[in-house]
Amino acid sequence: MSMRGFFSFDALNGDYPLLGAAVSNGIPVAVSGVSDAQKYFIASLFAGRIVYLTADALTAQRAAEAIRALSGKRVALLAPKDEVLTYRKAGSKDALYKRLTALAEWQAGADVLVADIEAAAQLVPARLPVFHLETGKEREMQTLIGELTAAGYVREYSPESRGAFAVRGDVLDIWPVNAEHPVRIDFFGDEVESIKPYDEVTGERYEKCSAIDIAAATDVVFAAGERERVLAALRAECRRAESSAAFSRLQTIAEDIEAGNVTDFILPLLENSRDLFSVLPRDTLLVLDECKLMRDKLEGLYKEHFERFGELRQGGEVMSFSSGQLAPAGRMENFSDFRTVALQTFAGNTYFFQPLRMLGFTSTPARRYLGSLPDLITDLKAWKRTGYRVMLWCGTPERAQKMRETLSEEYLPVRALQNCRSLRTSPCWKSRSKRALFCTKISWPSSALRTSFRKRPAQGASGASGAISSLLRRSAITPCMRRTAWARSRAWSASRRRTAPRNMSRSSTRGAMFCMSPSSRWTCCPSTWGETIRRSPKSAAASSRASRRASGPR
């Protein structure tokens, strides 16, 4: 479940609409005063294709998970390679396969690409080979086997790891680098008859697929006639060796590559190799998370890279072109040719571009509740007393069920939220007769984000619209826990009295949102969210007095 289609810049208050308008118009923006959770929330609101850059891989992983959960978009996480300078004949390729999977997803149209600055600095193929197979379509099996071998796949007796395949008659078993499990592909002549994923340990068959995309197992892509040129360049490097030991090592590397070993050691020599920003569409939005940390990491990365290159060069472990394994430093220092947004905790230099609009948000992160359930329960009760409605996100359905049971024991009624978009499409939400202000309070303790949003008044409530809009401008959205200022304009009150009864019970409004009135401070609550409805003692007493006046003397 995600919040896709639920939040938008226009539906939020404070500086959110200004930020959305500036980015839509291509204005470089710097936003300060935002916590990590608010950064991910803001990134999830942007339309179009986004590249989210961070200073380190751990932050990138957290950002990818949060943006995927908040937006429901297709998010690819670009991992850095373990090593780019030295030649490696064997070793783990897990990091490479994760990187290739992300590139294949982005190439296939993923909405968001998240990467740390080191992963973004490493070279990528301008076009990664991806083999599309579909049941009922023809594909010559022997030609496919040759293409897979050229794309870095290794033929074995049985595919026991990613990047391997096996052939038995008209059956192709392959474990694509971008798949969770190996796949058995049955051919009938040159026609793909069936595609069946299976468990690599037990052999259990999973549900059949109608189509599959197999990403290349290497980022080395030769153009026509380019292999001979690369081998000639390697032999020339050997002749320029500075010592006999260096010559011997370089000769060994050149012979391995000439024998057919596919390695990214030669990546800087290939025409298909590019820096990441050269292959991005021009309308891509770059979101920079903490520019100062990114700048420091980038300086350290290039300094270490060239220092190691100088030392390894003397021993014959690298060749003269190996320094080009990273994108040119000038390319990584200036992103002004893209639409850019900087998200920073503190105001400061953005380094990579010159912002034309600067916005300051107020953000206070909530505490973390890992291993501290009593603290969470205490805060939930406090939020409930102050009128907040709370949304808890759990990692799995099992954890969510356990959390519901625990909270029910503490007299905190909870109901599962199956689909946030049902609220948008409910008749109550779209009803033009309800001209009142709809407010909902949400808390995400797991991601340290609490926010408020509103439903715009329907057309016809022009008198209330101005009062409500001015109130919401004064009451900007902040993640800190505070009470929302309630609208109390005369025009709003008159409209409210005409469109709905003053006292609304749970049974009479099931499946609808509870509206606010000046005398009865109901929290807006759709039944799909299952929160209990509570009035403050003061408003309850006011409602009771109003009922007695309406009924007359006893």
Side-chain angles (χ1 to χ4, degrees), residues 1-7 37 40-41 44-45 62-73 369-370 373 376 380 383 389-404 407 414-421 441-451 453 529 531:
M1 187 199 66
S2 72
M3 302 298 292
R4 186 171 192 174
F6 194 68
F7 288 121
Y40 310 147
F41 177 66
S44 68
L45 299 178
R62 288 201 303 263
E65 294 172 353
I67 295 173
R68 184 184 294 112
L70 287 169
S71 66
K73 298 178 180 179
Y369 297 96
L370 294 176
L373 186 59
L376 173 60
L380 288 175
W383 294 331
R389 295 179 55 251
V390 180
M391 177 185 289
L392 292 175
W393 286 31
C394 301
T396 61
E398 293 75 19
R399 292 179 63 183
Q401 178 61 28
K402 185 176 180 181
M403 179 66 71
R404 285 195 292 271
L407 296 181
V414 178
R415 187 176 299 174
L417 172 59
Q418 300 298 334
N419 186 6
C420 295
R421 300 188 69 178
K441 298 177 179 179
I442 294 179
S443 176
W444 286 310
S446 61
S447 60
L449 174 64
R450 290 191 295 274
T451 185
F453 61 94
W529 287 19
E531 299 287 346

Side-chain angles (χ1 to χ4, degrees), residues 280-491:
L280 295 179
R282 289 297 95 184
D283 59 345
T284 302
L285 174 64
L286 300 186
V287 181
L288 311 182
D289 186 345
E290 299 297 341
C291 294
K292 179 64 167 62
L293 297 180
M294 288 176 53
R295 174 76 173 187
D296 294 343
K297 179 64 179 291
L298 199 62
E299 290 180 351
L301 174 66
Y302 276 86
K303 181 180 179 181
E304 179 186 5
H305 177 77
F306 286 105
E307 287 179 353
R308 288 189 62 222
F309 171 77
E311 296 174 357
L312 294 172
R313 177 71 169 148
Q314 297 177 359
E317 295 292 336
V318 297
M319 299 185 182
S320 60
F321 57 80
S322 299
S323 60
Q325 288 282 1
L326 298 182
R331 167 68 271 186
M332 300 299 298
E333 292 175 353
N334 189 353
F335 299 145
S336 299
D337 49 336
F338 289 94
R339 296 187 299 144
T340 47
V341 175
L343 303 178
Q344 305 182 120
T345 304
F346 304 102
N349 196 335
T350 55
Y351 295 101
F352 301 96
F353 69 98
Q354 184 64 38
L356 299 181
R357 177 73 61 84
M358 303 185 70
L359 301 174
F361 283 53
T362 302
S363 176
T364 303
R367 74 171 80 182
R368 296 187 178 275
Y369 297 96
L370 294 176
S372 182
L373 186 59
D375 292 340
L376 173 60
I377 293 174
T378 300
D379 285 347
L380 288 175
K381 292 180 177 179
W383 294 331
K384 186 171 179 290
R385 285 194 301 270
T386 52
Y388 275 88
R389 295 179 55 251
V390 180
M391 177 185 289
L392 292 175
W393 286 31
C394 301
T396 61
E398 293 75 19
R399 292 179 63 183
Q401 178 61 28
K402 185 176 180 181
M403 179 66 71
R404 285 195 292 271
E405 295 172 355
T406 302
L407 296 181
S408 297
E409 293 174 358
E410 297 290 335
Y411 304 101
L412 290 169
V414 178
R415 187 176 299 174
L417 172 59
Q418 300 298 334
N419 186 6
C420 295
R421 300 188 69 178
S422 63
L423 177 60
R424 280 289 191 188
T425 57
S426 65
C428 174
W429 181 269
K430 298 192 296 183
S431 174
R432 298 169 64 91
S433 63
K434 291 181 174 58
R435 310 185 194 282
L437 173 68
F438 287 85
C439 294
T440 302
K441 298 177 179 179
I442 294 179
S443 176
W444 286 310
S446 61
S447 60
L449 174 64
R450 290 191 295 274
T451 185
S452 305
F453 61 94
R454 66 182 174 90
K455 175 73 171 72
R456 288 182 172 178
Q459 294 179 358
S462 57
S465 178
I468 291 170
S469 300
S470 62
L471 171 68
L472 291 171
R473 284 195 295 269
R474 295 194 299 270
S475 177
I477 297 175
T478 61
C480 58
M481 189 175 70
R482 59 172 176 75
R483 303 187 65 138
T484 305
W486 303 108
R488 295 185 182 275
S489 66
R490 180 174 300 179

Side-chain angles (χ1 to χ4, degrees), residues 19-20 266 440:
L19 174 58
I266 59 175
T440 302

